[in-house]
Amino acid sequence: MTVAEVRRTYLEFFKKRGHVLLPSAPVVPENDSTTLFTSSGMQPLVPYLLGQVHLEGNRLVNSQKSVRTGDIDDIGDNRHLTFFEMLGNWSLGDYFKKEQLPWLFEFLTSKEEGLGLDPRKLYVTVFAGDEELAISKDTEAIAIWKNLFGEKGIEAHDVLIGSEERGYQVGMQGGRIFAYDAGKNWWSRSGVPSAMPAGEPGGPDSEVFYDFGTPHNPDFGLECHPNCDCGRFVEICNSVFMEYRKKENGSFEQLAQRNVDFGGGLERLTVTTLGSDDVFLADTLQTTILEIELLTEKKYSDNEDQQSFRIVADHIRAATFIIADDVLPSNTDAGYILRRLIRRAIRHLDKLGVDSNTLANLGNKVIDAYKDTYHDLEQKRVQIDSILTTEEQKFRKTLSQGIREFEKLSKRGPISGHDAFILFTSYGFPIEITEELAKERNLSVDHQAFAKEMEEHQTKSRTASEGRFKGGLADHSEITVRYHTSHHLLLAALRQILGDIVHQRGSNITQDRVRLDFSFDRKLTSEELAQVEQLVNEKIVEALPVFATSMSKIEAEKLGAEHEFGVKYGDQVTVYSMGPKNATQEDPKFSESFSLEFCGGPHVSNTSELATDAKRFKISKEESVAAGIRRIKAVLE
């Protein structure tokens, strides 16, 4: 089956069973500063798993775009991916184990409605219980699995494994159902039950493994078992049953709302239908791999080059989806991860003999493979192409020089922190690339000394971040200041087109775009968006003067000045006014101004400055972020 076929089959299967289809959340969370990327299907649904009412109901299903940065260094084997899709279905206080496990088994094994997998190749794990905490063994799940396998004529013995380490000692024991301790079959946000704080929910899970029948490799342990890393078994999905809550005295009680959280890796499930354990045989990745074969005249099947094929295919796919969520390569946060992915891909293209600009072409292959499902990729094609091209050109200018410098340094032995720092600052080598090069030569890198030099370097150059703007302004650069002014124009235009019910409810301004959250109870029509965009551009062309005026808070409120969201003001405030054209600092003509807001600044002195380099204000996205709250992202281009 193809990725699209597996995705469609899964979503339709659960829609027929009363589930509402949710769109995938972005890979870059928009309202969660605690993490850089969405790493699982359940991540956007945590508030609802904790009891908040979901507007779409209590049976939900989707395929979630996900990025896991912890796996970057593992990319190159047959099962790890940076970007992947996670199939998920959820019950929010509705059905539980006796519905979830039979549905899952039917989806996996049915030739009519599911994947048609051979049930004899499926093995499952359950929670073994915790005697000290008086949490019982998951006998309910065991009984359900026994019955399901029995209906297929398969005798399913349940055996106790306990810890993963013990699994390597006792092995399979003729089992089909394996009970592991909390280290393998328990879910909570804090991990094992003993680590959970009072009030936190958690529960057992039940994983499904596919047996590929490969001989056990004793290098991984004396005996094989489902969680063995030898490659015989691959986990393809997991059902979490959130049914307990930890009490103040450390004991556990049943939750009033019991939830189901299922996750299954789309690519793993797809290649399993092909009888393979290599996720890179999924058609969406093969599209890129075949293109690399044409460029290099090498074969993916060649073990010598296979790792580089996989790294390039994985990283360019992840980079394409991250860019589509408006992330730009940089040296911090999500931008750093993006740059690291791009530069590692370039380095492995170089190893494959490709020394010219290629990433944009490969990015287009990714877009072609996914555009029918994720339409924003097609809409962002030009932007993705431009960013990949620019980043590759920039890095290729220093890549060969950096490799030569590394070779010179490596002849002296281990790579010092200072050497790694120079490779980063002078040649653009992320520390991970330096570490990868060193590992290939059995050399170490002084990561601690590198981190110390980086910290000293950042301290010396840290100026922009010392005075972060109020209202979510990211730095004081000239382009960011222009975006800050465009934010005021955008809010004023929205209020003029949609009415005074519009108020700011959040914002974030970077050197790449402006983002405004505002109160409004429905989706804007294309005509309204066009009117707002046109009005902002008209005010830019009108060259309205911009003035900052200090006054009392009471006076500002009487003038009707808009408040910045979430800011507490003192008795004296600064108000920024934009327009009218004949306004002066001495006579700002507040009653005639187009925009009037409480704000700490800074701003341009005239709206015409937003048109520098013939730029125009353009709305790039409008969407809902919560009930009654809309979000607009816009750029100057």
Side-chain angles (χ1 to χ4, degrees), residues 96 373 593:
F96 209 51
T373 302
S593 64

Side-chain angles (χ1 to χ4, degrees), residues 34-50:
T34 64
T35 183
L36 296 178
F37 298 103
T38 301
S39 60
S40 67
M42 65 86 69
Q43 187 175 323
L45 292 172
V46 167
Y48 309 103
L49 292 167
L50 296 179

Side-chain angles (χ1 to χ4, degrees), residues 23 70 105 121 129 151 172 195 236 238 283-284 301 324 327 335 351 382 419 425 442 452 456 510 580 587 627 634:
F105 195 66
K121 293 182 179 292
E151 289 176 350
M172 297 292 291
I236 57 174
N238 183 25
D283 61 295
T284 48
S301 56
V327 176
K351 286 185 69 175
V382 174
D419 291 340
T425 55
N442 294 316
K452 184 177 180 182
E456 292 173 354
T510 71
D587 182 14

Side-chain angles (χ1 to χ4, degrees), residues 574-624:
T574 299
V575 170
Y576 270 85
S577 59
M578 299 181 188
K581 197 163 185 177
N582 60 344
T584 63
Q585 185 70 66
E586 294 72 27
D587 182 14
K589 300 185 183 298
F590 295 130
S591 63
E592 302 173 41
S593 64
F594 177 70
S595 169
L596 190 65
E597 287 194 42
F598 286 55
C599 185
H603 285 280
V604 300
S605 60
N606 191 287
T607 60
S608 62
E609 295 174 43
L610 274 62
T612 302
D613 300 325
K615 291 185 182 296
R616 283 180 56 82
F617 178 86
K618 181 174 178 58
I619 294 174
S620 56
K621 193 173 188 178
E622 190 271 343
E623 61 188 342
S624 170

Side-chain angles (χ1 to χ4, degrees), residues 401-422:
Q401 294 173 298
I403 294 291
R404 286 196 296 270
E405 180 66 16
F406 178 86
E407 296 294 352
K408 185 170 68 175
L409 294 170
S410 65
K411 291 177 181 177
R412 305 201 304 248
I415 306 301
S416 70
H418 180 70
D419 291 340
F421 176 76
I422 294 300

Side-chain angles (χ1 to χ4, degrees), residues 314-545:
D314 170 87
H315 287 11
I316 189 61
R317 182 173 71 160
T320 298
F321 274 92
I322 292 171
I323 293 170
D325 271 0
D326 299 323
V327 176
L328 292 177
S330 71
N331 289 330
T332 59
D333 299 332
Y336 176 77
I337 299 297
L338 173 59
R339 174 161 284 167
R340 178 182 166 194
L341 290 167
I342 292 173
R343 294 191 172 186
R344 191 170 186 232
I346 295 168
R347 190 238 158 182
H348 281 273
L349 278 171
D350 200 62
K351 286 185 69 175
L352 290 169
V354 179
D355 58 3
S356 58
N357 291 334
T358 306
L359 284 189
N361 178 41
L362 297 179
N364 278 313
K365 294 297 179 182
V366 174
I367 295 171
D368 290 342
Y370 284 96
K371 64 182 180 181
D372 291 339
T373 302
Y374 299 112
H375 307 300
D376 58 321
L377 291 176
E378 183 64 56
Q379 297 164 3
K380 300 284 184 66
R381 187 186 288 270
V382 174
Q383 175 183 335
I384 294 167
D385 187 290
S386 174
I387 291 170
L388 290 174
T389 299
T390 301
E391 188 70 8
E392 182 169 13
Q393 289 173 344
K394 185 186 300 183
F395 187 48
R396 284 200 178 276
K397 288 179 182 178
T398 60
L399 175 60
S400 58
Q401 294 173 298
I403 294 291
R404 286 196 296 270
E405 180 66 16
F406 178 86
E407 296 294 352
K408 185 170 68 175
L409 294 170
S410 65
K411 291 177 181 177
R412 305 201 304 248
I415 306 301
S416 70
H418 180 70
D419 291 340
F421 176 76
I422 294 300
L423 287 168
F424 176 73
T425 55
S426 300
Y427 302 99
F429 278 31
I431 182 64
E432 294 82 9
I433 286 184
T434 298
E435 289 177 322
E436 187 174 322
L437 288 166
K439 184 178 180 181
E440 291 171 1
R441 293 157 180 79
N442 294 316
L443 295 173
S444 62
V445 177
D446 192 338
H447 199 121
Q448 187 173 353
F450 167 79
K452 184 177 180 182
E453 287 222 24
M454 282 298 298
E455 184 178 357
E456 292 173 354
H457 171 70
Q458 289 164 351
T459 299
K460 291 175 183 176
S461 61
R462 190 181 296 123
T463 55
S465 60
E466 288 179 349
R468 293 176 71 89
F469 294 169
K470 296 177 180 178
L473 202 58
D475 59 48
H476 285 68
S477 64
E478 184 179 340
I479 181 60
T480 311
V481 172
R482 292 204 292 269
Y483 271 123
H484 190 198
T485 303
S486 76
H487 172 281
H488 284 227
L489 293 177
L490 172 58
L491 180 60
L494 286 166
R495 285 173 57 81
Q496 185 164 315
I497 299 298
L498 303 177
D500 291 343
I501 60 170
V502 171
H503 296 286
Q504 179 184 324
R505 288 295 177 264
S507 69
N508 181 254
I509 300 155
T510 71
Q511 62 180 352
D512 308 311
R513 54 100 178 108
V514 58
R515 189 183 79 197
L516 171 66
D517 296 348
F518 58 97
S519 56
F520 200 59
D521 60 0
R522 62 170 174 80
K523 180 180 177 63
L524 274 68
T525 66
S526 56
E527 291 80 8
E528 287 169 335
L529 288 171
Q531 289 173 350
V532 170
E533 188 176 290
Q534 180 180 346
L535 183 54
V536 172
N537 282 307
E538 286 176 358
K539 297 307 173 183
I540 293 173
V541 172
E542 286 177 20
L544 302 179

